Amino acid sequence: LDVPMYFAKRDGRYVERVGYYNPMAAQGEEKLRIALDRVAYWQGHGAQLSDPVRRLVRQAGESKQAA
């Protein structure tokens, strides 16, 4: 999961990588990792989450609370 520059193309440059998602992860491999503190930081600076990313952030938050 990347924080893109507002003027960058879809697969263009990004400011910071705040997470990782691999929907095809084998059992025992890491599937989702998100730095929730960095997501909160960028949201505080005006970043807006897409719907799919919002779901992943919610999922990461729930799994972090369960741990």
Side-chain angles (χ1 to χ4, degrees):
L1 302 173
D2 302 327
V3 178
M5 295 181 166
Y6 72 93
F7 55 84
K9 295 179 182 176
R10 183 180 64 98
D11 292 329
R13 298 183 338 184
Y14 58 89
V15 177
E16 180 179 358
R17 179 159 287 172
V18 295
Y20 170 82
Y21 176 61
N22 179 7
M24 304 298 287
Q27 189 172 8
E29 290 184 357
E30 186 174 33
K31 183 175 184 174
L32 175 64
R33 175 181 16 143
I34 299 177
L36 297 173
D37 59 329
R38 297 305 295 165
V39 172
Y41 169 82
W42 284 110
Q43 284 184 294
H45 283 82
Q48 297 178 359
L49 303 179
S50 66
D51 291 337
V53 171
R54 187 175 290 112
R55 284 192 295 273
L56 290 172
V57 168
R58 189 177 307 125
Q59 181 181 346
E62 290 170 357
S63 66
K64 197 168 213 174
Q65 289 177 351

